[in-house]
């Protein structure tokens, strides 16, 4: 009987350490480079290291049903760069920015915690007199997951989104509540 109690105590102790290891591994923040074709955003600063410049990995949610529910299947991944009053987006694998916009023409908004499509930021820009286009996106200093979610990483990415919006605002973008 005592041997069974000792053996059960040993298994409980081993199980405790396994759970502890898994919890620590989940909460550990590991800065990763963006994509294989782009420099590590966490190490990049603008001219003279200004805080009003930066680079973030980005996911622009696709339009249509997939983008409306937050699916990554129709998303475009790349790097957002903000510097000297200009924001650019360079898709993964591209050698030059796909689009560029003066920050003062942008309207940015942080999405709420319970946004319907899971996007942290919306960016709106003019496309002509009286017409606007909006993109829902996620930004991160870490690699953005494409196939599987990670709730702990998603919480950190909300902080990166606030940083991104603040940087755009410092470069002239209008922040919408």
């Amino acid at each position: 009987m005592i041997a069974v109690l000792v053996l059960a105590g040993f298994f409980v102790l081993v199980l405790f350490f396994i759970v502890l290891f898994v919890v620590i591994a989940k909460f550990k923040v590991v800065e990763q480079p963006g994509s294989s074709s782009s420099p590590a955003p966490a190490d990049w600063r603008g001219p003279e290291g200004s805080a009003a410049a930066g680079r973030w990995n980005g996911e622009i949610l696709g339009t249509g049903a997939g983008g409306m529910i937050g699916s990554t299947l129709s998303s475009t991944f790349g790097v957002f760069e903000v510097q000297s009053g200009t924001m650019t987006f360079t898709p993964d694998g591209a050698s030059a920015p796909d689009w560029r916009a003066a920050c003062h023409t942008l309207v940015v908004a942080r999405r709420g915690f319970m946004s319907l499509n899971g996007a942290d930021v919306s960016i709106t820009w003019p496309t002509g007199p009286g017409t606007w286009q909006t993109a829902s996106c996620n930004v991160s200093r870490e690699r953005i997951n494409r196939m599987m979610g990670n709730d702990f990483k998603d919480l950190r990415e909300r902080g990166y989104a606030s940083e991104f919006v603040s940087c755009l605002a410092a470069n002239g973008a209008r922040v919408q509540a």
Side-chain angles (χ1 to χ4, degrees), residues 99-124:
W99 54 272
R100 152 183 338 264
C103 291
H104 73 275
T105 65
L106 303 175
V107 177
V108 295
R110 281 270 295 118
R111 296 279 181 97
F113 189 69
M114 299 298 285
S115 70
L116 294 177
N117 67 358
D120 291 331
V121 177
S122 84
I123 303 171
T124 304

Side-chain angles (χ1 to χ4, degrees), residues 10-61:
F10 175 74
F11 282 123
V12 168
L13 190 60
V14 168
L15 183 62
F16 171 77
F17 281 110
I18 289 172
V19 169
L20 183 65
F21 174 77
V22 169
V23 168
I24 289 172
K26 280 283 199 183
F27 280 102
K28 184 178 180 185
V29 176
V30 178
E31 293 291 329
Q32 299 176 357
S35 65
S36 58
S37 64
S38 64
D43 298 332
W44 191 83
R45 285 292 215 179
E48 289 87 41
S50 69
R55 182 178 285 180
W56 292 264
N57 291 316
E59 170 193 13
I60 299 174
L61 296 172

Side-chain angles (χ1 to χ4, degrees), residues 56 110 120-121 139 156-168:
W56 292 264
R110 281 270 295 118
D120 291 331
V121 177
V139 295
R156 291 192 304 268
E157 287 175 352
R158 293 200 176 278
Y160 301 137
S162 293
E163 181 184 273
F164 178 67
V165 169
S166 295
C167 183
L168 286 171

